[in-house]
Amino acid sequence: EYDRKSGPAETVFKAFMSTAISRLGLPITVAADQGRGSTITEQMRMDTPSDKLLPLLEGAGLRATLVHLGGSTLTLDVAPVRTYGRTLTTASGVLGTDTTVTEEPPTATRVVVGGAGQGTARLYRRVINASAETVWPIREKFVDAASIALDASDPLMDTQAKVDAALDAKGWAELRDCDSKVSVSASLSETRWFRLAAGVLEVGDRVPLDVTVPTRDSLNPVLVKVTETITEATITWRAGEGLRIAPEL
């Protein structure tokens, strides 16, 4: 049996995580649900929660947080993903000179989702990333979703329209994972106007970047505009230097 849940992304995430935390007896408290994020439908069965649930949060503009607020337990919550309001460049003094840019083509531009049924009676849905196909060759992928089926006893799957929507959502989620990726790896330096601070800019938030990439023709470098996530921060303290926090992408 699959455990299916539908609702705001935060509600679905916390419901699944509460079940897993309780079963494993982990010293983690799940914060009260505030119903944030777009409405989603997801199902779990012998799945790794982080593999399925974190991308759902990201798609809804949220991120998971795990913090120690005192006592003997940690608190699991979600928070909105903020985008920093100023573009970072090498000239700004924030973006390091060791910055590297990598672009990968999409692994799929369209997805065929196979629902329930056997042989010619099987239900198929197709979703297409039309904008990607204006730039890249067509690449098609099949996703098996046989567990998504019409079920009169399940309020989430009791009409064909709901089944179709669930299959389409499965396809779009796969396309997001398969989309082309421009990634930037860089160390950031704190300045008078750029620094990590609780409630202002934290790990998990996103920063817009303007990165100049050299080409074979060094006279015509390419300016790449991309928004990346702060994935970690190194905290150090040295006599004479004091506290330093170095965010990284």
Side-chain angles (χ1 to χ4, degrees):
E1 290 292 329
Y2 282 85
D3 183 7
R4 291 191 181 96
K5 300 186 187 301
S6 183
E10 177 182 5
T11 303
V12 172
F13 172 76
K14 288 183 174 178
F16 279 126
M17 291 304 299
S18 294
T19 300
I21 289 168
S22 176
R23 181 176 62 82
L24 296 172
L26 299 176
I28 298 175
T29 299
V30 179
D33 176 32
Q34 298 182 47
R36 290 171 288 186
S38 54
T39 298
I40 61 172
T41 298
E42 189 52 85
Q43 58 183 17
M44 299 275 283
R45 181 186 180 192
M46 303 298 181
D47 295 298
T48 302
S50 59
D51 291 345
K52 297 200 73 171
L53 300 180
L54 293 183
L56 292 177
L57 282 183
E58 182 180 350
L62 300 171
R63 56 187 172 88
T65 64
L66 188 64
V67 297
H68 181 232
L69 299 176
S72 58
T73 64
L74 300 173
T75 298
L76 176 68
D77 203 353
V78 305
V81 174
R82 292 177 292 257
T83 298
Y84 193 63
R86 187 166 173 175
T87 299
L88 307 184
T89 65
T90 303
S92 70
V94 177
L95 197 58
T97 56
D98 60 344
T99 301
T100 60
V101 180
T102 304
E103 182 176 19
E104 299 177 1
T107 54
T109 62
R110 56 180 64 188
V111 170
V112 176
V113 185
Q118 298 294 325
T120 58
R122 188 170 190 184
L123 177 64
Y124 293 95
R125 301 281 294 182
R126 184 175 67 176
V127 294
I128 299 173
N129 185 344
S131 61
E133 291 187 353
T134 64
V135 179
W136 304 97
I138 293 175
R139 296 182 177 180
E140 192 170 60
K141 180 178 182 179
F142 174 74
V143 172
D144 184 11
S147 61
I148 299 178
L150 190 64
D151 184 350
S153 65
D154 184 349
L156 300 179
M157 296 291 163
D158 58 1
T159 68
Q160 190 58 52
K162 292 179 181 178
V163 172
D164 290 347
L167 292 173
D168 288 351
K170 186 83 171 177
W172 285 115
E174 189 66 26
L175 278 181
R176 283 193 296 272
D177 289 342
C178 295
D179 202 5
S180 61
K181 295 175 176 63
V182 176
S183 60
V184 176
S185 175
S187 297
L188 307 179
S189 299
E190 289 197 317
T191 66
R192 177 177 54 81
W193 53 268
F194 178 82
R195 63 184 61 246
L196 294 189
V200 179
L201 184 67
E202 304 176 47
V203 171
D205 287 336
R206 294 169 64 77
V207 290
L209 310 169
D210 279 3
V211 184
T212 302
V213 181
T215 62
R216 293 180 181 178
D217 179 2
S218 59
L219 297 177
N220 293 290
V222 175
L223 178 64
V224 175
K225 293 179 175 288
V226 65
T227 300
E228 286 288 338
T229 300
I230 299 175
T231 57
E232 60 182 294
T234 302
I235 302 174
T236 59
W237 186 91
R238 294 186 179 92
E241 294 183 4
L243 178 68
R244 296 186 64 189
I245 303 177
E248 302 211 1
L249 304 176

